[in-house]
Structure formats: C-alpha cells, structure tokens
Amino acid sequence: MTISFQNISKMFAQNTEREVAALGNITFDIQENEFVSLVGPNGCGKTTLLRIVAGLIKPDTGSIVYPPGMPNPNAIMVFQDQGLLPWLTVSKNIGLGLELQKVPKSSQKTRVHEFMKRVKLDGFGEHYPHELSGGMRQRVALARAFLTDPDILLMDEPFGALDSQTRIILQEELLHIWRTEQRTVLFVTHDIDEAILLSDRIIVLTNRPGRIQRSIQIPLARPRELKIKDHPKFVEIKWQIWNLLEQEVRKDLQLT
Amino acid sequence: MANMEPSGTRGPQRLTANMNKNTKSQQQNNNRDRMTTWGLVLGLLIIWEFLARLKLISPIIFPAPTLILSSLLKNLLIGKYNENVFISFSRVFFGFLIGGGAGMILGLLMGWSRRMRRVLDPIVAALHPIPKFALLPMVLIMFGLGESSRIVMVSIGAFFPMLINTMAGVVQVNPTYYDVVENYGASRFDTFWKVALPGSLPLIITGARLSLRSALTLTIGVEMVFGNNGLGSDLWLAWETMRMTDMYSTLIIVSVIGLGSNILLERLKNKLIPWHQEIRPEDD
C-alpha cells in the first residue's frame, strides 16, 4: 500500500514574462502509516507539494500514484492557521469534513461526539473558534482531519503559529493520537526537533526549486517521549540535518 | 532561542487578561463619559430654552425646546403622524427590500464570479458616484407622478451601498476557507453556502445599514418634492407655513425612525453573526 510521488514539478508565474520554478522533479514513495516530514529552506516548495497532493493545485509534470485499493484517495490537509471556519462552532467545524463528504447525518453526529470525547474537546462543542486559543484551534483542526479517515494526512506546519511551549504539548498530543489512529502522514515543518520527534523518515529539500537533497530514516523506537531529544542518536540526526540545511540557507542569504 | 519564538496564542490571551484587569475601571470611565454626554445635551437644551424664553434668539427660528416637546406630545396624542409615519416607513421598507435585495443578489454574483466582476465593475464604478437625487427628473419621466416613481428612487438609493458592500464581503473572505472545503471535496454549491455567504455576512449587514440610511434620505427628499404625503411633505409644509415647532417635532420623528432601524439591525447582527469579532469599533 505505497503511495508514489513521481517526477512532480511546478512553476509559478512571477509576472507575465517570468516563471519561477517552485518544485523541481520530486520523486519518492511513502509507505502505509509512515510518518514522513519535509524540511527545507523557505520557499523550497514544501507547501506547494502539499497543496498538489491535497488537490488544490495541479502539478506541471508528474503524478501521484495511489495503490489500487484507493479509488478515491482522501488526502486531507491541516493548515497552519485559519483552517477553522469562524462561523461554525467547534463541533460543526469538526463535523465539516464528514458533512462535505456526504456521510449520513446520524453517523456524523455520533462520530463527532465520540471523537471529541477521545481528544478531550467535549465541552467546547458550542464555542466559536475566536473564543479559543491558537493551540486549542489547532487541536480542533487535527480532530477534524483525523475524523475523515484520510488515506494520507497532509500537515502544513500545523504548530508553526504557536508559542514553543504549546507547540511541544501539541507534538506530544499528535504522537498520542497517531499511536492509536495510525495514518500515513506527510508533515511540513521548519522545526528540525519537531521533525525528528514525530517522523519515521525526514526528507530534506534543497533551495528553490525544491529537490530532494537527502532522505533520512529515524531509527528511534516508538512510542516516543519528549525525553528522546536527549538521545545521542537524536542529537546526531539533528546536526546532520542542520548541516544539510545550513548550506542551503547560506546560499539563499548569499553568505557562502 | 526557543523562548524567543513569536507566539500566536499569547497575544490574544494577554489581551483578555488586560481586559479583565481593566474591566471595572473601564466600566466606570464609560459610565462617566456617558453621563457627561447626557449632561452636555441637557445643558445645551437648557441654555436654548432660556435664550428663547428671554427672546435673545429668535423664538420663531428656535422655539423653546419645551414648546417643541409639548407640540410633539400633543401631535402624538391626536395621532397626527400616524398616517405619514406609515406612508414614509412603507416607502423606506419597500425601497430597501427591492433595491437592497437586488443589490445583495447582484453583489453575491459579482463577488462570486470573477468574470462578472470584471465585466460589471466598471459600470458600477461609473454609476455609483452619481448623486441619486439627481436622477429624480429622469425617473419621473420614466415612471410618472405616481407611487412607483417614489419607490424607484428609494430603491436606487438602497441598491448601491448593498451591492458594493456585498461584493466586497464575498471578495474579502480568507482564501484558506475555500481551500479547506475544497480539500474535503465540496461542490461549488457547498462552497457558496458554507463559505462565500456566511463569510460575507458581516459586510452584508454593514451594507444593509448604509442602504437603509440611504433609503430614508431619499424617501424624505422625494416626499419634499412631491409634497402631498409622507413625513418629508410634513417637514416642507412646516417650513412653508413657518410652524417651527411642527418642523422640529417631525424632525424628531424622522430621527427616531433612523435610530430605530439602526438599533434593529444591530440586534439582528448579534443574532446572525455571533461569531464575528468587531475589529474596528466604528465602521462608518
């Protein structure tokens, strides 16, 4: 049950005469229930890749090949922020995915209710997003995405707009949900620690146009705890990734 | 390094904390300012009363407030305004319904379809700045001297503010919201009903308020010109016969209608968009 990304590239029109390559020829596979993070310098096309997988934009070349068992692949995106509709209450926001995917009303209700209980959001059902903190809003966004049973979950820096303490707690929360609700995940982040803590594999991208620079397996045992950040292997990988990224960032800043 | 991360959650929380701390003293300040406002108005009225009674200002142009008030009460008691309030209110209402309704529908279409916006926006931009009252002679030729001309004038006044605000409302909806529903496979129909319409409601309601105000202005203006019925004709008649107490008391009635409809819309807003956070305390 492998999902393959084959030769995906994308150009963007910067103005009428010039086009900028955002993504150059990306090819990789992702196994079922594998957690893969994409890290790379700003503007390397990480988000573009996610948007292509989510079906929000079309690639210029290449394709995504789903296994034969997935005729209508469900690729669901968790946005960095603003992913909740402000005019819907928390429970309606969580149910939005099911509603749009035409799940019968009665089973919508029970599934929303049960899931809210499991992720400890019950009691907030009638609140509106603006009444919640940024961290709470992202918990709701995560719940909504998991609830639609996605074949692949796409996360675009879901904790990027949060303060570092809240981010750590939500990383643990995501690990916890993911342990029980195994899913294939493609996770975009700037945060190297976050990527190592969460992932089975990290794909490091180059500067624009983004290409795969290195694919790194994370051999740390699961279930993982925050303390794993002190593990010598964790620290080693962290420096390995930083060395790869540093060159790219320096190139971008003309500091080489 | 990690502690220097900018935060998305801390800002609003800090704001709430400050609000809680300041609520009491702010409340006191608000009360004090409100009392000052009323005191100022009352003071000016008292000065006016004395100046008029002592004939230091012309009691013909500025009749004493107590005289205006007693004339207002007397007229209210004998039901002098009933008919004309009903007539003027109906014109505002139907003009708002027809013009505002058409403006909202066209605004939604123009906000929704980039093509329509590109085609129609220049026309709207050219027509909108025309002072609507200047269209009266043209409307009279087209619709005659009857009631329809008046309703058409009021509708034209109500049309543009609603159109422009509704269109802006649809256009300003955060594109991420469209991404979210599209990602879940929403149809165009779903996208319209679940994102475009609710997302534009705050500006539609602002449009309704401006539209209603414009409808009232045109109603009074048209009635002054026609002169046979409505509160506008009352005002004009009071000037023609130099009955200033009548003029001021009718003016009070007109103001109450304007204020009342504003308050009604404000209530409606809290019902329709409880999720909306006012970013600017005053938007007009």
Side-chain angles (χ1 to χ4, degrees), chain B residues 51-256:
Chain B
L51 291 177
R53 294 274 175 195
L54 298 172
K55 297 202 165 41
L56 288 170
I57 52 172
S58 160
I60 297 167
I61 303 174
F62 296 108
T66 47
L67 290 177
I68 296 170
L69 197 68
S70 73
S71 142
L72 175 72
L73 291 175
K74 195 182 74 205
N75 287 340
L76 278 175
L77 278 176
I78 61 172
K80 182 175 178 249
Y81 301 115
N82 291 1
E83 196 192 341
N84 280 338
V85 164
F86 177 74
I87 289 171
S88 294
F89 189 80
S90 306
R91 284 176 185 146
V92 171
F93 180 77
F94 286 111
F96 174 67
L97 211 65
I98 296 167
M104 186 170 131
I105 291 168
L106 191 61
L108 286 171
L109 289 172
M110 283 175 70
W112 183 242
S113 147
R114 186 169 297 154
R115 181 100 192 278
M116 261 189 105
R117 193 158 64 243
R118 270 208 290 257
V119 172
L120 295 178
D121 207 26
I123 302 174
V124 171
L127 294 181
H128 177 225
I130 298 174
K132 302 304 167 296
F133 206 68
L135 299 174
L136 182 60
M138 185 194 81
V139 170
L140 282 176
I141 288 175
M142 288 158 87
F143 295 90
L145 289 168
E147 188 64 29
S148 49
S149 274
R150 291 170 242 214
I151 299 287
V152 167
M153 282 300 289
V154 181
S155 303
I156 293 172
F159 176 74
F160 283 98
M162 197 66 172
L163 167 66
I164 283 157
N165 279 283
T166 305
M167 179 170 70
V170 179
V171 172
Q172 56 81 46
V173 172
N174 187 331
T176 306
Y177 304 150
Y178 290 111
D179 287 345
V180 168
V181 293
E182 203 184 314
N183 183 221
Y184 285 107
S187 59
R188 289 279 284 172
F189 182 83
D190 279 336
T191 309
F192 179 81
W193 284 104
K194 296 209 182 301
V195 179
L197 190 64
S200 52
L201 264 185
L203 268 177
I204 290 179
I205 290 171
T206 301
R209 195 163 68 211
L210 298 175
S211 171
L212 205 57
R213 188 182 304 170
S214 175
L216 184 60
T217 305
L218 276 148
T219 300
I220 299 299
V222 167
E223 285 170 352
M224 281 185 182
V225 172
F226 276 81
N228 57 343
N229 58 17
L231 290 168
S233 74
D234 271 359
L235 283 169
W236 197 256
L237 188 72
W239 129 255
E240 281 182 330
T241 55
M242 282 307 263
R243 278 190 302 220
M244 296 317 271
T245 49
D246 274 0
M247 193 209 70
Y248 281 111
S249 51
T250 312
L251 213 49
I252 291 172
I253 298 287
V254 174
S255 313
V256 166

Side-chain angles (χ1 to χ4, degrees), chain A residues 13-179:
Chain A
Q14 195 176 44
N15 47 48
T16 40
E17 288 115 58
R18 269 188 55 188
E19 280 200 324
V20 179
L23 212 55
N25 248 340
I26 299 274
T27 299
F28 67 98
D29 287 352
I30 183 166
Q31 309 301 321
E32 189 176 12
N33 296 341
E34 192 182 13
F35 197 122
V36 175
S37 285
L38 297 169
V39 298
N42 247 336
C44 72
K46 305 178 295 262
T47 299
T48 305
L49 181 60
L50 281 201
R51 292 176 66 82
I52 289 171
V53 183
L56 295 173
I57 50 176
K58 288 206 161 29
D60 292 337
T61 68
S63 56
I64 303 158
V65 181
Y66 287 92
M70 292 177 196
N72 299 307
N74 186 18
I76 293 304
M77 182 115 152
V78 178
F79 294 84
Q80 180 173 8
D81 56 2
Q82 310 285 347
L84 302 182
L85 304 186
W87 43 89
L88 297 181
T89 59
V90 166
S91 64
K92 290 230 172 85
N93 256 301
I94 292 179
L96 180 71
L98 296 179
E99 191 187 345
L100 289 170
Q101 295 182 348
K102 313 288 179 219
V103 171
K105 274 252 152 51
S106 53
S107 86
Q108 262 181 46
K109 247 195 174 152
T110 43
R111 281 172 70 183
V112 168
H113 188 75
E114 273 169 23
F115 202 79
M116 281 178 72
K117 219 168 193 173
R118 265 197 45 210
V119 294
K120 302 197 183 72
L121 280 169
D122 48 337
F124 290 94
E126 296 312 306
H127 283 61
Y128 284 98
H130 79 262
E131 297 170 305
L132 307 179
S133 66
M136 278 292 280
R137 285 202 288 268
Q138 286 313 84
R139 279 179 63 203
V140 175
L142 283 179
R144 178 173 71 198
F146 270 99
L147 192 57
T148 53
D149 284 333
D151 297 311
I152 179 166
L153 251 176
L154 310 163
M155 301 199 188
D156 187 11
E157 296 187 56
F159 311 137
L162 306 175
D163 65 89
S164 46
Q165 289 86 0
T166 308
R167 184 186 307 191
I168 288 168
I169 304 294
L170 282 187
Q171 286 163 358
E172 286 186 311
E173 176 73 9
L174 176 59
L175 276 177
H176 175 75
I177 301 176
W178 188 74
R179 192 183 309 154

